[in-house]
Amino acid sequence: MERLFYFLIILCFIFPTTIHADQSRSSVKIAFTKDVFVWIKDYDKEEKITEKKATYNYPPSWSFDGTMLLYQKEVPGNIIEAKGQSNELWVYELKTKKHHKIFYDTHNPKWSPTENTVAFGSGGVLNISNLITFNNIALGVDDYEWQPDGKGFIASSSASLRPDGWTNPVLYTIALDEDYITNRDLSKNIVNELFVIPKELEKNGVKILSINADSFQ
């Protein structure tokens, strides 16, 4: 029995069971803007993915599966006046290295947490694009956030000024219709009131009007 014990110990030294992970290469890809271009860094290699100089007012963001990159670039003119500025929305595919313009004037674009679709705001309208076409989802939206299952949103409307004073900002839930990308009937997307925010907030004797509700999750 004692000889068997020592034999097993020797085998452990000859054939160690510990497995070491290969730490020589990082699996993390980083997207960033530098010198008026968009870049991707993979391990020790940096690749410039845009060719023309531009202003990028918002950081690029990865799709849920890491195969696509969303970015916005500032261009002259917008849908209201030619002298203004707008932010074009673009998507870059890592595999094909192709760029696709999604929309010509957007704000606050966000990837779906479950598929390669993009939601974005434009002129108070919440839209969704499947990277080929887009559709309106809801009107009067000030800010929004995807629900974790990717089947709807939490959205807010801002307060508006009327002769009798400000109205309340309101939070809503929006449940997407199964054919949300093709249907033109907004009533198919079920909208329910979630919470009416008080008109005023008070702290330490100081009152502040509630106008917008944003940056929520």
Side-chain angles (χ1 to χ4, degrees):
M1 187 70 179
E2 185 176 353
R3 290 182 179 179
L4 177 60
F5 174 74
Y6 286 115
F7 178 70
L8 292 175
I9 292 178
I10 293 173
L11 285 179
C12 288
F13 280 108
I14 296 175
F15 304 105
T17 58
T18 303
I19 300 174
H20 296 279
D22 181 6
Q23 299 179 355
S24 62
R25 183 176 178 83
S26 172
S27 61
V28 177
K29 292 183 176 65
I30 302 172
F32 57 94
T33 58
K34 181 181 71 171
D35 300 331
V36 297
F37 297 101
V38 179
W39 298 72
I40 292 177
K41 182 178 177 64
D42 182 9
Y43 185 49
D44 58 351
K45 179 184 178 182
E46 287 189 2
E47 179 184 4
K48 184 174 66 175
I49 66 170
T50 53
E51 298 179 354
K52 295 182 179 180
K53 295 181 178 180
T55 298
Y56 302 95
N57 294 318
Y58 305 94
S61 61
W62 293 103
S63 60
F64 88 104
D65 60 359
T67 63
M68 299 184 184
L69 188 67
L70 188 72
Y71 65 92
Q72 290 178 277
K73 66 178 181 180
E74 186 179 282
V75 296
N78 56 42
I79 58 176
I80 299 176
E81 56 177 328
K83 295 181 180 180
Q85 300 289 326
S86 61
N87 290 294
E88 287 184 346
L89 183 61
W90 289 77
V91 166
Y92 174 74
E93 295 184 43
L94 270 69
K95 185 176 181 179
T96 63
K97 297 185 180 297
K98 291 183 178 180
H99 299 258
H100 305 280
K101 184 167 73 171
I102 304 302
F103 205 70
Y104 52 87
D105 190 7
T106 69
H107 71 274
N108 201 20
K110 298 177 182 179
W111 286 106
S112 163
T114 58
E115 58 184 349
N116 288 334
T117 58
V118 179
F120 60 90
S122 180
V125 181
L126 176 61
N127 307 278
I128 291 184
S129 172
N130 61 357
L131 311 185
I132 299 174
T133 185
F134 77 96
N135 200 6
N136 306 141
I137 299 302
L139 308 178
V141 173
D142 186 46
D143 196 15
Y144 72 95
E145 186 59 66
W146 283 94
Q147 296 197 32
D149 60 4
K151 295 181 179 180
F153 301 93
I154 301 292
S156 67
S157 65
S158 63
S160 58
L161 184 59
R162 295 179 178 177
D164 59 347
W166 287 93
T167 61
N168 299 63
V170 182
L171 299 182
Y172 298 90
T173 60
I174 303 174
L176 293 174
D177 177 71
E178 292 183 358
D179 300 323
Y180 65 85
I181 202 64
T182 58
N183 83 71
R184 303 301 176 188
D185 183 1
L186 295 182
S187 64
K188 289 185 177 181
N189 301 314
I190 302 174
V191 179
N192 290 313
E193 186 179 287
L194 176 65
F195 181 70
V196 178
I197 299 173
K199 292 183 180 181
E200 289 184 338
L201 301 177
E202 183 176 353
K203 185 176 182 180
N204 299 327
V206 179
K207 293 183 177 180
I208 301 175
L209 289 172
S210 301
I211 307 298
N212 304 94
D214 53 26
S215 301
F216 52 87
Q217 298 184 18

